[in-house]
Amino acid sequence: MATYPRWKYLLVLTVFILSVIYSLPNFYQSFPSIEINLQDSERSAVNYEQIISQNNKFSEKVIYDNKVIFRFSDIDKQLKGYNNLENLTSENNFTLITDTKIPDWLKSINALPMFLGLDLKGGVHFLLQVDEDNILQNLLRESESDLRKLLIANKIRYSGTERSLTKVEFNFKDAETLSQAKKVILDNDNNNDYVLDDSNDNLSIIITPSTEAIDYDINSSVTKNMTILRNRVNELGVSQPIVQKQGKNRVIVQLPGLQDSTRAKNILGSTATLEFRMTKGTPEDWYASKISGSPVISSSKLFTQKTGEPVLLSRKVIVSGGDIRNANTGFDSSTNLPAVFVRLNDYGASKMLETTNANIGKRMAVVFLEKDNAEVINIAVIREAFSHNFQITGLDKNEARDLAILLRSGALEAPMEIVEERTVGPSLGKENIISGQNSMYFGMFLVAFFMLIYYRTFGAVAISALVANLLIIISALSFFQATLTLSGIAGIVLTVGMAVDANVLIFERIREEIKNGSTPNASIYSGYQKAFSTISDANITTLIAALCLLTIGTGAVKGFAVTLVIGIISSMFTSIVGTRAVISIIYERKNSTRLSI
């Protein structure tokens, strides 16, 4: 047998040591915890320990330079402590995390435990779908407006327009005008945004958005909504959230550790924004408008207040949610009631300053818009001119907190509907971990038992390769901070079988060489050489399929593909390079007459 290169021994040893080190953090005890990021010394003076411990008890408190972590003995106490903190109005971020007691020397080399998926940790899963009808209506509205301006600019008269759910129809008085309009529209449609139909006998042109334009708007809306959803998820105080696109018009949101699905659902699916408008008329005019069903004052619009009473507001919007730069919750200094402190951008501030300066002593209303519903949440008298900073009152504490989150993250580009909702309890997640571990241990035991009985010493070497393979997978998931799911555990179990499969091929080739009269060392060398092409071909084809799953798949499919890809690569290394090194140590410099195989 040719001398096995020393650099391969060194490679195997290095990989094994690194695998042990980077898999170690996963074996330390972990605790459900709350992490509080401290903004400055003033806010850090808040007695969080006393707030959390109200009717609750934490196990340990760990203090860092800019954060403090409270560890709990179980998830119920963690959630109770988090609820206590939510009653505190503060700009500090409170995050549900799983904290592990890892030595500082491991942290210094970025050796951290892998993340656990929703099915193992517990939490909330949402599948949101963008409202395509809303996108189509917006496209039709924009198309109608653009084409109106285009025809007017080219001095082409049309007798009227009609817009339905799927099309816009422009009517003309004669065929010549229709022909001119058609030419102008087609000449200006550089991006093929419209499908034009003038085949009817009604002297009209029917405009429908093209498939390309609809698909582009859907993709653009989903992309922008994902950014806004990530901002909203960060505000919910969840560590390692997952926000990813699924298909053409859907988004998956997973919030590990969170159990309040109702609040999360209201925050994620909300399209809420604000508008600021001046009031019109007197309360008598408001009630008269309610009775008649239409505004009795021109340039006004009828709205409803939180109390159910009517109010007339100007049709002109002063500023809206798009002009808001930041929003935080707090308490009104004079009334000590909950308030939302709003900061406008420069454009919104200039409009607000101009309006308030001209209307001191008059009343301004704040309108809360959610899809097709509009509600006046606050009406206040303008005492003095203001611009960038002001506050909104008239809300309870929870309403103020959620409104601030929505304003900070911005309104969704297009409404999204929650089409699937799933909550996994922490106890079920723990049961999933135990079940996954047991299936993996049982599978490894049966494989190890078979290999030891059938291949003896060589079987023991294959078993050591299995253990090393498992360590490499765990360390890789930890090093890249990948998320382990229940389907990922299935991928690990599958790679265990595949790793042994490669060793079986090698060992059977070695047996064939021995039967053909080769010496033990020559049989080992030939067995590895001749089995390599078969093993590499089989694993490469499986790797290609796994990479396709990883690239295209989502959710459970992707979790399975992650561990499968890592497992295929590590199993090839351990079964070909790793076992070869161990067998070379045992047999290379010995004149053995028989092999224990």
Side-chain angles (χ1 to χ4, degrees), residues 85-122:
L85 284 174
E86 283 194 315
N87 294 325
L88 173 70
T89 301
S90 171
E91 294 183 11
N92 293 344
N93 294 324
F94 317 127
T95 307
L96 294 168
I97 65 169
T98 300
D99 191 47
T100 308
K101 286 186 175 181
I102 305 173
D104 292 335
W105 69 272
L106 282 174
K107 291 181 180 179
S108 65
I109 59 173
N110 201 34
L112 302 170
M114 71 181 95
F115 295 150
L116 295 180
L118 192 72
D119 46 7
L120 299 180
K121 189 176 182 179

mmCIF file of all heavy atoms in Angstrom, residues 85-122:
data_model
loop_
_atom_site.group_PDB
_atom_site.id
_atom_site.type_symbol
_atom_site.label_atom_id
_atom_site.label_comp_id
_atom_site.label_asym_id
_atom_site.label_seq_id
_atom_site.Cartn_x
_atom_site.Cartn_y
_atom_site.Cartn_z
ATOM 1 N N LEU A 85 -42.731 43.750 30.984
ATOM 2 C CA LEU A 85 -41.949 44.801 30.335
ATOM 3 C C LEU A 85 -42.779 45.573 29.329
ATOM 4 O O LEU A 85 -42.553 46.772 29.120
ATOM 5 C CB LEU A 85 -40.722 44.209 29.633
ATOM 6 C CG LEU A 85 -39.559 43.790 30.531
ATOM 7 C CD1 LEU A 85 -38.492 43.081 29.711
ATOM 8 C CD2 LEU A 85 -38.950 44.994 31.235
ATOM 9 N N GLU A 86 -43.738 44.896 28.676
ATOM 10 C CA GLU A 86 -44.559 45.578 27.666
ATOM 11 C C GLU A 86 -45.430 46.659 28.284
ATOM 12 O O GLU A 86 -45.847 47.589 27.601
ATOM 13 C CB GLU A 86 -45.437 44.575 26.921
ATOM 14 C CG GLU A 86 -44.675 43.767 25.888
ATOM 15 C CD GLU A 86 -45.623 43.039 24.957
ATOM 16 O OE1 GLU A 86 -46.592 42.449 25.461
ATOM 17 O OE2 GLU A 86 -45.392 43.067 23.742
ATOM 18 N N ASN A 87 -45.695 46.545 29.593
ATOM 19 C CA ASN A 87 -46.472 47.576 30.270
ATOM 20 C C ASN A 87 -45.641 48.815 30.562
ATOM 21 O O ASN A 87 -46.165 49.831 30.995
ATOM 22 C CB ASN A 87 -47.043 47.023 31.588
ATOM 23 C CG ASN A 87 -48.050 45.924 31.344
ATOM 24 O OD1 ASN A 87 -48.795 45.961 30.369
ATOM 25 N ND2 ASN A 87 -48.080 44.929 32.222
ATOM 26 N N LEU A 88 -44.325 48.717 30.336
ATOM 27 C CA LEU A 88 -43.430 49.849 30.548
ATOM 28 C C LEU A 88 -43.239 50.595 29.240
ATOM 29 O O LEU A 88 -42.920 49.994 28.214
ATOM 30 C CB LEU A 88 -42.072 49.342 31.071
ATOM 31 C CG LEU A 88 -40.954 50.380 31.193
ATOM 32 C CD1 LEU A 88 -41.258 51.346 32.338
ATOM 33 C CD2 LEU A 88 -39.616 49.691 31.436
ATOM 34 N N THR A 89 -43.416 51.887 29.245
ATOM 35 C CA THR A 89 -43.183 52.693 28.044
ATOM 36 C C THR A 89 -41.709 53.070 28.016
ATOM 37 O O THR A 89 -41.223 53.810 28.854
ATOM 38 C CB THR A 89 -44.048 53.962 28.061
ATOM 39 O OG1 THR A 89 -45.410 53.579 28.125
ATOM 40 C CG2 THR A 89 -43.800 54.789 26.810
ATOM 41 N N SER A 90 -41.003 52.543 27.052
ATOM 42 C CA SER A 90 -39.561 52.788 26.948
ATOM 43 C C SER A 90 -39.132 52.630 25.494
ATOM 44 O O SER A 90 -39.750 51.896 24.729
ATOM 45 C CB SER A 90 -38.787 51.812 27.828
ATOM 46 O OG SER A 90 -37.407 51.902 27.595
ATOM 47 N N GLU A 91 -38.054 53.309 25.129
ATOM 48 C CA GLU A 91 -37.517 53.185 23.781
ATOM 49 C C GLU A 91 -36.547 52.018 23.673
ATOM 50 O O GLU A 91 -36.066 51.728 22.590
ATOM 51 C CB GLU A 91 -36.808 54.488 23.372
ATOM 52 C CG GLU A 91 -37.770 55.660 23.237
ATOM 53 C CD GLU A 91 -37.063 56.916 22.765
ATOM 54 O OE1 GLU A 91 -35.882 56.807 22.356
ATOM 55 O OE2 GLU A 91 -37.672 57.986 22.802
ATOM 56 N N ASN A 92 -36.218 51.405 24.791
ATOM 57 C CA ASN A 92 -35.307 50.263 24.743
ATOM 58 C C ASN A 92 -35.987 49.065 24.103
ATOM 59 O O ASN A 92 -37.198 48.876 24.226
ATOM 60 C CB ASN A 92 -34.832 49.898 26.153
ATOM 61 C CG ASN A 92 -33.956 50.987 26.760
ATOM 62 O OD1 ASN A 92 -33.462 51.849 26.046
ATOM 63 N ND2 ASN A 92 -33.793 50.956 28.062
ATOM 64 N N ASN A 93 -35.193 48.232 23.427
ATOM 65 C CA ASN A 93 -35.725 47.047 22.750
ATOM 66 C C ASN A 93 -35.686 45.848 23.683
ATOM 67 O O ASN A 93 -34.641 45.520 24.245
ATOM 68 C CB ASN A 93 -34.913 46.755 21.491
ATOM 69 C CG ASN A 93 -35.076 47.844 20.455
ATOM 70 O OD1 ASN A 93 -36.153 48.407 20.316
ATOM 71 N ND2 ASN A 93 -34.013 48.155 19.735
ATOM 72 N N PHE A 94 -36.842 45.167 23.826
ATOM 73 C CA PHE A 94 -36.913 43.940 24.619
ATOM 74 C C PHE A 94 -37.070 42.790 23.644
ATOM 75 O O PHE A 94 -37.991 42.779 22.846
ATOM 76 C CB PHE A 94 -38.098 43.968 25.590
ATOM 77 C CG PHE A 94 -38.285 45.286 26.301
ATOM 78 C CD1 PHE A 94 -39.496 45.922 26.275
ATOM 79 C CD2 PHE A 94 -37.231 45.878 26.971
ATOM 80 C CE1 PHE A 94 -39.679 47.134 26.921
ATOM 81 C CE2 PHE A 94 -37.395 47.076 27.615
ATOM 82 C CZ PHE A 94 -38.621 47.717 27.593
ATOM 83 N N THR A 95 -36.168 41.813 23.719
ATOM 84 C CA THR A 95 -36.172 40.729 22.741
ATOM 85 C C THR A 95 -36.211 39.383 23.435
ATOM 86 O O THR A 95 -35.452 39.142 24.382
ATOM 87 C CB THR A 95 -34.914 40.796 21.847
ATOM 88 O OG1 THR A 95 -34.820 42.100 21.285
ATOM 89 C CG2 THR A 95 -34.998 39.781 20.723
ATOM 90 N N LEU A 96 -37.103 38.502 22.946
ATOM 91 C CA LEU A 96 -37.140 37.125 23.436
ATOM 92 C C LEU A 96 -36.005 36.343 22.776
ATOM 93 O O LEU A 96 -35.936 36.275 21.544
ATOM 94 C CB LEU A 96 -38.483 36.478 23.083
ATOM 95 C CG LEU A 96 -39.732 37.057 23.755
ATOM 96 C CD1 LEU A 96 -40.980 36.522 23.092
ATOM 97 C CD2 LEU A 96 -39.751 36.742 25.240
ATOM 98 N N ILE A 97 -35.113 35.770 23.572
ATOM 99 C CA ILE A 97 -33.994 35.015 23.019
ATOM 100 C C ILE A 97 -33.824 33.712 23.804
ATOM 101 O O ILE A 97 -34.453 33.508 24.846
ATOM 102 C CB ILE A 97 -32.669 35.808 23.061
ATOM 103 C CG1 ILE A 97 -32.248 36.061 24.528
ATOM 104 C CG2 ILE A 97 -32.775 37.111 22.308
ATOM 105 C CD1 ILE A 97 -30.840 36.607 24.667
ATOM 106 N N THR A 98 -32.978 32.848 23.274
ATOM 107 C CA THR A 98 -32.523 31.665 24.006
ATOM 108 C C THR A 98 -31.045 31.871 24.282
ATOM 109 O O THR A 98 -30.234 31.891 23.365
ATOM 110 C CB THR A 98 -32.749 30.383 23.188
ATOM 111 O OG1 THR A 98 -34.147 30.244 22.912
ATOM 112 C CG2 THR A 98 -32.275 29.162 23.966
ATOM 113 N N ASP A 99 -30.708 32.067 25.547
ATOM 114 C CA ASP A 99 -29.320 32.378 25.916
ATOM 115 C C ASP A 99 -28.629 31.119 26.432
ATOM 116 O O ASP A 99 -29.208 30.336 27.189
ATOM 117 C CB ASP A 99 -29.297 33.466 26.996
ATOM 118 C CG ASP A 99 -27.899 34.015 27.214
ATOM 119 O OD1 ASP A 99 -27.224 34.327 26.223
ATOM 120 O OD2 ASP A 99 -27.479 34.107 28.385
ATOM 121 N N THR A 100 -27.402 30.919 25.998
ATOM 122 C CA THR A 100 -26.632 29.741 26.360
ATOM 123 C C THR A 100 -25.401 30.150 27.162
ATOM 124 O O THR A 100 -24.739 31.136 26.833
ATOM 125 C CB THR A 100 -26.181 28.974 25.103
ATOM 126 O OG1 THR A 100 -27.336 28.727 24.283
ATOM 127 C CG2 THR A 100 -25.545 27.650 25.466
ATOM 128 N N LYS A 101 -25.091 29.392 28.214
ATOM 129 C CA LYS A 101 -23.903 29.672 29.031
ATOM 130 C C LYS A 101 -22.655 29.159 28.315
ATOM 131 O O LYS A 101 -22.212 28.033 28.528
ATOM 132 C CB LYS A 101 -24.032 28.997 30.402
ATOM 133 C CG LYS A 101 -25.011 29.682 31.347
ATOM 134 C CD LYS A 101 -24.960 29.019 32.720
ATOM 135 C CE LYS A 101 -25.829 29.754 33.737
ATOM 136 N NZ LYS A 101 -25.762 29.131 35.068
ATOM 137 N N ILE A 102 -22.122 29.999 27.459
ATOM 138 C CA ILE A 102 -20.953 29.619 26.665
ATOM 139 C C ILE A 102 -19.718 30.300 27.241
ATOM 140 O O ILE A 102 -19.760 31.504 27.528
ATOM 141 C CB ILE A 102 -21.138 30.031 25.188
ATOM 142 C CG1 ILE A 102 -22.429 29.443 24.629
ATOM 143 C CG2 ILE A 102 -19.954 29.589 24.353
ATOM 144 C CD1 ILE A 102 -22.771 29.925 23.255
ATOM 145 N N PRO A 103 -18.604 29.595 27.402
ATOM 146 C CA PRO A 103 -17.373 30.226 27.890
ATOM 147 C C PRO A 103 -16.921 31.352 26.966
ATOM 148 O O PRO A 103 -17.178 31.324 25.756
ATOM 149 C CB PRO A 103 -16.361 29.069 27.895
ATOM 150 C CG PRO A 103 -17.189 27.827 27.940
ATOM 151 C CD PRO A 103 -18.453 28.140 27.213
ATOM 152 N N ASP A 104 -16.248 32.334 27.540
ATOM 153 C CA ASP A 104 -15.812 33.498 26.766
ATOM 154 C C ASP A 104 -14.843 33.119 25.646
ATOM 155 O O ASP A 104 -14.838 33.752 24.587
ATOM 156 C CB ASP A 104 -15.146 34.529 27.691
ATOM 157 C CG ASP A 104 -16.158 35.158 28.644
ATOM 158 O OD1 ASP A 104 -17.356 35.166 28.296
ATOM 159 O OD2 ASP A 104 -15.748 35.635 29.718
ATOM 160 N N TRP A 105 -14.024 32.063 25.856
ATOM 161 C CA TRP A 105 -13.045 31.712 24.822
ATOM 162 C C TRP A 105 -13.735 31.171 23.565
ATOM 163 O O TRP A 105 -13.248 31.343 22.448
ATOM 164 C CB TRP A 105 -12.030 30.710 25.353
ATOM 165 C CG TRP A 105 -12.562 29.327 25.624
ATOM 166 C CD1 TRP A 105 -13.117 28.884 26.777
ATOM 167 C CD2 TRP A 105 -12.564 28.216 24.708
ATOM 168 N NE1 TRP A 105 -13.500 27.557 26.650
ATOM 169 C CE2 TRP A 105 -13.157 27.123 25.400
ATOM 170 C CE3 TRP A 105 -12.119 28.031 23.400
ATOM 171 C CZ2 TRP A 105 -13.310 25.872 24.805
ATOM 172 C CZ3 TRP A 105 -12.283 26.794 22.812
ATOM 173 C CH2 TRP A 105 -12.862 25.730 23.505
ATOM 174 N N LEU A 106 -14.915 30.550 23.748
ATOM 175 C CA LEU A 106 -15.677 30.100 22.579
ATOM 176 C C LEU A 106 -16.321 31.286 21.859
ATOM 177 O O LEU A 106 -16.343 31.346 20.628
ATOM 178 C CB LEU A 106 -16.753 29.104 23.005
ATOM 179 C CG LEU A 106 -16.297 27.672 23.303
ATOM 180 C CD1 LEU A 106 -17.450 26.841 23.848
ATOM 181 C CD2 LEU A 106 -15.710 27.017 22.063
ATOM 182 N N LYS A 107 -16.833 32.234 22.641
ATOM 183 C CA LYS A 107 -17.432 33.420 22.032
ATOM 184 C C LYS A 107 -16.395 34.223 21.253
ATOM 185 O O LYS A 107 -16.707 34.824 20.221
ATOM 186 C CB LYS A 107 -18.064 34.305 23.104
ATOM 187 C CG LYS A 107 -19.305 33.706 23.755
ATOM 188 C CD LYS A 107 -19.880 34.652 24.785
ATOM 189 C CE LYS A 107 -21.119 34.059 25.443
ATOM 190 N NZ LYS A 107 -21.692 34.952 26.474
ATOM 191 N N SER A 108 -15.152 34.244 21.752
ATOM 192 C CA SER A 108 -14.101 35.031 21.107
ATOM 193 C C SER A 108 -13.772 34.522 19.704
ATOM 194 O O SER A 108 -13.283 35.271 18.869
ATOM 195 C CB SER A 108 -12.836 35.044 21.968
ATOM 196 O OG SER A 108 -12.298 33.731 22.063
ATOM 197 N N ILE A 109 -14.032 33.240 19.430
ATOM 198 C CA ILE A 109 -13.772 32.687 18.092
ATOM 199 C C ILE A 109 -15.086 32.486 17.329
ATOM 200 O O ILE A 109 -15.152 31.727 16.372
ATOM 201 C CB ILE A 109 -12.992 31.350 18.180
ATOM 202 C CG1 ILE A 109 -13.763 30.307 18.995
ATOM 203 C CG2 ILE A 109 -11.606 31.578 18.760
ATOM 204 C CD1 ILE A 109 -13.144 28.926 18.970
ATOM 205 N N ASN A 110 -16.135 33.170 17.819
ATOM 206 C CA ASN A 110 -17.451 33.141 17.160
ATOM 207 C C ASN A 110 -18.056 31.736 17.128
ATOM 208 O O ASN A 110 -18.748 31.364 16.185
ATOM 209 C CB ASN A 110 -17.352 33.695 15.737
ATOM 210 C CG ASN A 110 -18.700 34.163 15.215
ATOM 211 O OD1 ASN A 110 -19.523 34.665 15.971
ATOM 212 N ND2 ASN A 110 -18.937 33.984 13.928
ATOM 213 N N ALA A 111 -17.800 30.957 18.173
ATOM 214 C CA ALA A 111 -18.400 29.626 18.307
ATOM 215 C C ALA A 111 -19.708 29.774 19.077
ATOM 216 O O ALA A 111 -19.707 29.930 20.301
ATOM 217 C CB ALA A 111 -17.450 28.681 19.028
ATOM 218 N N LEU A 112 -20.821 29.749 18.357
ATOM 219 C CA LEU A 112 -22.147 29.971 18.926
ATOM 220 C C LEU A 112 -23.069 28.813 18.568
ATOM 221 O O LEU A 112 -22.843 28.121 17.576
ATOM 222 C CB LEU A 112 -22.743 31.281 18.394
ATOM 223 C CG LEU A 112 -21.915 32.548 18.657
ATOM 224 C CD1 LEU A 112 -22.495 33.723 17.880
ATOM 225 C CD2 LEU A 112 -21.862 32.864 20.136
ATOM 226 N N PRO A 113 -24.105 28.593 19.353
ATOM 227 C CA PRO A 113 -25.022 27.486 19.023
ATOM 228 C C PRO A 113 -25.837 27.793 17.777
ATOM 229 O O PRO A 113 -26.063 28.955 17.419
ATOM 230 C CB PRO A 113 -25.925 27.401 20.266
ATOM 231 C CG PRO A 113 -25.864 28.754 20.876
ATOM 232 C CD PRO A 113 -24.493 29.270 20.600
ATOM 233 N N MET A 114 -26.270 26.755 17.083
ATOM 234 C CA MET A 114 -27.121 26.923 15.900
ATOM 235 C C MET A 114 -28.501 27.411 16.326
ATOM 236 O O MET A 114 -28.908 27.241 17.484
ATOM 237 C CB MET A 114 -27.232 25.602 15.149
ATOM 238 C CG MET A 114 -28.064 24.558 15.851
ATOM 239 S SD MET A 114 -28.164 23.007 14.956
ATOM 240 C CE MET A 114 -26.860 22.079 15.727
ATOM 241 N N PHE A 115 -29.204 28.029 15.385
ATOM 242 C CA PHE A 115 -30.566 28.464 15.640
ATOM 243 C C PHE A 115 -31.518 27.273 15.509
ATOM 244 O O PHE A 115 -31.266 26.338 14.757
ATOM 245 C CB PHE A 115 -30.988 29.545 14.642
ATOM 246 C CG PHE A 115 -30.200 30.819 14.758
ATOM 247 C CD1 PHE A 115 -29.991 31.619 13.653
ATOM 248 C CD2 PHE A 115 -29.667 31.209 15.971
ATOM 249 C CE1 PHE A 115 -29.267 32.796 13.750
ATOM 250 C CE2 PHE A 115 -28.941 32.378 16.083
ATOM 251 C CZ PHE A 115 -28.736 33.175 14.975
ATOM 252 N N LEU A 116 -32.609 27.337 16.255
ATOM 253 C CA LEU A 116 -33.650 26.306 16.155
ATOM 254 C C LEU A 116 -34.861 26.888 15.441
ATOM 255 O O LEU A 116 -35.263 28.026 15.703
ATOM 256 C CB LEU A 116 -34.052 25.805 17.542
ATOM 257 C CG LEU A 116 -32.974 25.059 18.328
ATOM 258 C CD1 LEU A 116 -33.521 24.628 19.684
ATOM 259 C CD2 LEU A 116 -32.467 23.855 17.559
ATOM 260 N N GLY A 117 -35.430 26.112 14.541
ATOM 261 C CA GLY A 117 -36.589 26.557 13.781
ATOM 262 C C GLY A 117 -37.854 26.566 14.613
ATOM 263 O O GLY A 117 -37.886 26.140 15.775
ATOM 264 N N LEU A 118 -38.914 27.038 13.980
ATOM 265 C CA LEU A 118 -40.199 27.186 14.657
ATOM 266 C C LEU A 118 -40.721 25.860 15.193
ATOM 267 O O LEU A 118 -41.273 25.802 16.290
ATOM 268 C CB LEU A 118 -41.203 27.783 13.664
ATOM 269 C CG LEU A 118 -42.518 28.291 14.220
ATOM 270 C CD1 LEU A 118 -42.291 29.572 14.991
ATOM 271 C CD2 LEU A 118 -43.508 28.545 13.098
ATOM 272 N N ASP A 119 -40.542 24.777 14.421
ATOM 273 C CA ASP A 119 -41.082 23.487 14.832
ATOM 274 C C ASP A 119 -40.314 22.874 15.994
ATOM 275 O O ASP A 119 -40.782 21.909 16.607
ATOM 276 C CB ASP A 119 -41.121 22.512 13.649
ATOM 277 C CG ASP A 119 -39.828 22.520 12.855
ATOM 278 O OD1 ASP A 119 -38.853 23.174 13.297
ATOM 279 O OD2 ASP A 119 -39.785 21.891 11.785
ATOM 280 N N LEU A 120 -39.134 23.406 16.306
ATOM 281 C CA LEU A 120 -38.353 22.893 17.430
ATOM 282 C C LEU A 120 -38.388 23.824 18.642
ATOM 283 O O LEU A 120 -38.270 23.379 19.774
ATOM 284 C CB LEU A 120 -36.887 22.682 17.011
ATOM 285 C CG LEU A 120 -36.641 21.674 15.887
ATOM 286 C CD1 LEU A 120 -35.159 21.577 15.587
ATOM 287 C CD2 LEU A 120 -37.197 20.301 16.259
ATOM 288 N N LYS A 121 -38.547 25.111 18.386
ATOM 289 C CA LYS A 121 -38.502 26.094 19.468
ATOM 290 C C LYS A 121 -39.886 26.547 19.894
ATOM 291 O O LYS A 121 -40.078 27.041 20.998
ATOM 292 C CB LYS A 121 -37.668 27.296 19.003
ATOM 293 C CG LYS A 121 -37.351 28.302 20.089
ATOM 294 C CD LYS A 121 -36.451 29.399 19.531
ATOM 295 C CE LYS A 121 -36.081 30.404 20.611
ATOM 296 N NZ LYS A 121 -35.195 31.462 20.085
ATOM 297 N N GLY A 122 -40.867 26.398 19.006
ATOM 298 C CA GLY A 122 -42.192 26.933 19.268
ATOM 299 C C GLY A 122 -42.281 28.366 18.767
ATOM 300 O O GLY A 122 -41.275 29.064 18.635
#
